[in-house]
Amino acid sequence: MVRYKAVLSLGFLIVLTFSSTSTKAFHNDIYYPRVPEDLLEIIQDMDNPFPPTRKNIKEGSNVYFGKGLCVKCHGVKGKGIEVSGHSPRNFTDPKWQNIRTDGEMMWVLKNGSPGTSMPIRVGKVISEEEGWKVILFIRSFAGV
Ligand code: HEC
């Protein structure tokens, strides 16, 4: 029985070690970049190819409330709902809106945010074009 317990706790230790390495890109500070350092400069400079026209923002909102399922975690007002673990981003935070570029958001849509429940969206449930448009919609939460 004692030996069984020892094996169990060793297993637990291994799980802990592995889960901490898989959370490498994750940072507790919400303002800290989610994009790995070696890519950051290029990704930050990527422009949104779609202009923030009323039509594009509306299409982005359809993705947010529809097949992107963003609303499930980020909420109707963009403030983020309460979940266990790391909170979904509050898009109404002006400091975060200022710091993050559209390119960085696209990276998160394509890769998820490792170590959090933010899932991969572009390439799985929405197209790249829909991704850029939902980013335009996220910008509309700024200053709300
Ligand atoms: C299952 C819950 C969940 C869903 C669904 C979800 N998100 Fe998130 N999202 C999160 C969490 C949790 C975070 C915080 C991650 C972090 O701090 O790194 C986050 C963070 C983000 C960020 C901020 C990343 C950064 O660089 O600070 C963006 C942008 C984002 N989500 C966009 C979206 C969009 C757009 C959709 C829908 C297409 C979506 N999310 C769907 C949970 C979710």
Side-chain angles (χ1 to χ4, degrees):
M1 192 60 194
V2 172
R3 178 177 283 178
Y4 178 59
K5 269 196 178 156
V7 170
L8 249 190
S9 48
L10 184 68
F12 190 56
L13 252 182
I14 292 171
V15 168
L16 269 183
T17 316
F18 276 97
S19 53
S20 65
T21 49
S22 71
T23 59
K24 229 174 74 193
F26 167 69
H27 203 280
N28 232 339
D29 178 354
I30 62 165
Y31 304 118
Y32 192 86
R34 268 45 192 158
V35 176
E37 222 172 284
D38 51 335
L39 298 175
L40 189 57
E41 218 171 305
I42 303 167
I43 299 283
Q44 268 179 337
D45 278 350
M46 277 173 78
D47 285 329
N48 196 321
F50 297 93
T53 59
R54 209 186 262 246
K55 180 171 175 284
N56 286 342
I57 294 170
K58 176 77 184 90
E59 283 173 27
S61 119
N62 290 344
V63 172
Y64 185 93
F65 291 103
K67 67 176 171 181
L69 298 178
C70 322
V71 66
K72 258 184 67 184
C73 297
H74 292 283
V76 174
K77 295 190 169 151
K79 286 180 182 292
I81 59 151
E82 297 241 339
V83 292
S84 60
H86 196 70
S87 308
R89 186 71 68 253
N90 172 4
F91 297 138
T92 68
D93 176 350
K95 183 174 172 190
W96 176 82
Q97 283 274 0
N98 262 331
I99 286 175
R100 270 312 174 268
T101 70
D102 286 16
E104 287 180 271
M105 289 199 216
M106 178 51 82
W107 185 90
V108 167
L109 289 180
K110 284 183 173 169
N111 297 280
S113 183
T116 79
S117 59
M118 173 62 205
I120 296 175
R121 303 279 81 185
V122 166
K124 281 220 165 150
V125 292
I126 62 174
S127 68
E128 184 154 343
E129 176 172 339
E130 288 167 330
W132 286 120
K133 288 179 177 170
V134 81
I135 290 169
L136 295 178
F137 177 65
I138 286 174
R139 290 299 185 199
S140 73
F141 286 119
V144 172

